[in-house]
Amino acid sequence: MLWAVLILSLLQNSVLSSIVNSQEALSFQPIASLPVANASKSFWIDTPGANLLGNEGSIGPLTEDADVCIIGAGMTGISATYHLAKAIEKLGLEGSSLEVKAVVLEAREFCSGATGRNGGHLTPYSFFNYREYEEKYGTIEALKSLQIENRTAMAMVSIIQEHQLADVVDLVAGGHLMLISSEEEYASLKEEYLAASRAGLNVGDVEWLPEEDVDRIYGASYSAVKFPAFNFWPLKFVTQLYLLANSSTPHFSLSLHTHTPVTSVTPLSSSRIWSVNTPRGSVKCSHVLHATNGYASHLLPQFGGPSGIIPTRGQIVVMRAATPVNDSWKASWGGLDHYWFPRPVNGSISDHGTEDGKENPVVILGGGRHIGGPAFEQYETDDSVVNTALGEELRAFLPETFPHMFNKGEDAEMEWTGIMGYTSMADPFVGPIVEHLQSGATSGIFTGQYIAAGYSGHGMPRAFSCAEAIANMIIAAIQNKSWSTPEWLPKRYLTKNRSQEKN
Ligand SMILES: Cc1cc2nc3c(=O)[nH]c(=O)nc-3n(C[C@H](O)[C@H](O)[C@H](O)COP(=O)(O)OP(=O)(O)OC[C@H]3O[C@@H](n4cnc5c(N)ncnc54)[C@H](O)[C@@H]3O)c2cc1C
């Protein structure tokens, strides 16, 4: 299925499963390192003033005791704080002295993992991959696989709207334009779309654009399919989520320690059952969430290797257009093994923006992974360096695709890497930690520890909902209640159901 390789070049089930099970992959170091100290500079993190919580809680005393310890301050970890706060608010505890204490421990700066280094797309995949999901997991699960993406994106957008944060997080609701490389790919996508539609998926907003229209309106010689999607500044969204969680209810207290890597989680024989250990001291906790994405296996070695979470490095460049772009170009784009979007030019000073927004925008561009072969950049946790060959490929892409809008030979204004967490199913692990990933078997020695990680390069439209599932599991456990799977969560994401895997 050629077309699937083109979707953000990141989510591709069948190719991915053959990659991660290959001998080539096995020759790499299966256990992830901790995040490296000197990460490459990303536009999202290193634009002056962008990372309000960058070094929060990095000096002074460490929180010693908490009900919930969250390891990792990315989209997953901070979404979990938000959902914990909301769930506690819903309990209606007025007059009660109950207080749930949560602490977030982050190895580097706030949000300095994949969420602070990604492509900025919030793209629910409409009907893509439908047939493969249906064939492997059945109609209901296939529908849920796509519906959760829409649910997640709309929930995030509704928070942005409710709190009037669209300008703060640079939300652009421009849709996603997927360029189509061949007639064969076009036919395959159409089949996908029709199958999803027959199964009852809402695909009413999908538009098919012939090559003449794409050429005339957008300046590229390809046909395309357009569907609803967004781009934004993920780190700023995560910052706002943290601030909302922190101010939500007096029954939830939240603290954050950046530059505090967790080096181990060990059992305690007290009412707090886990000691979460860092070079600055330990935190005693009852519940621990591993929101560590590609680094998960560092603390949980059973997640190392092909059936676990494979750290995989991705790369982004910032290219400047040679012309202003019209409003219709201000979408998110994908296809041809790349993904990109123009920053709203009046969005921030570093975009050289003007009041009227007429200057040439910068374009955030990623992808190009085909150049490295199937196991490209897998088992790689060093985001301090970039891959030169990939960088060249990325620099060449926009002038080749939009010859009237980008100058050949132009250098990138910024370039960085980040670490994704891939899994053989291209789906995340969500739920209580198990000892045996393939069977979901557990003897209970990890009771109280949870994970939500492994979005396989497609985390923005999934992590926020997966964190909600975990937050509700924790709240249920705090109340001694049982948790049941929400109808919107694909069942195969759950750690205990991993035996459903079909490669
Ligand atoms: C180059 C690139 C481009 C991408 N583009 C897109 C895109 O456009 N759209 C999309 O949907 N997805 C994209 N993704 C994927 C997306 O960014 C991730 O799926 C998502 O950010 C995962 O969020 P997370 O919170 O689970 O992980 P992360 O954001 O990686 O957060 C994990 C955090 O845990 C911390 N950590 C790890 N180990 C420890 C430890 N032992 N102690 C303390 N802290 C620890 C890390 O420092 C990190 O901050 C991209 C990823 C990359 C790298």
Side-chain angles (χ1 to χ4, degrees), residues 8 10 33-36 44 70-79 104-123 125 232 234 238 257 259-264 277-278 290-296 298-299 312-316 339 341 366-367 383 416-422 452-463:
L8 288 190
L10 300 173
S33 70
L34 280 170
V36 302
W44 310 119
I70 296 170
I71 310 172
M75 182 64 83
T76 302
I78 302 305
S79 297
V104 180
L105 301 165
E106 165 54 49
R108 305 190 294 202
E109 271 175 78
F110 181 77
C111 202
S112 56
T115 310
R117 327 182 65 76
N118 70 14
H121 294 243
L122 174 57
T123 303
Y125 274 151
F232 69 149
V238 168
H257 294 286
H259 301 281
T260 307
V262 174
T263 49
S264 63
N277 307 313
T278 83
H290 295 255
T292 48
N293 189 32
Y295 306 95
H298 187 78
L299 298 174
T312 303
R313 188 167 59 192
Q315 191 159 320
I316 302 287
Y339 51 100
F341 74 89
D383 57 8
W416 65 87
T417 49
I419 308 303
M420 303 172 277
Y422 271 38
Y455 307 97
S456 307
H458 191 50
M460 294 301 99
R462 300 198 281 179

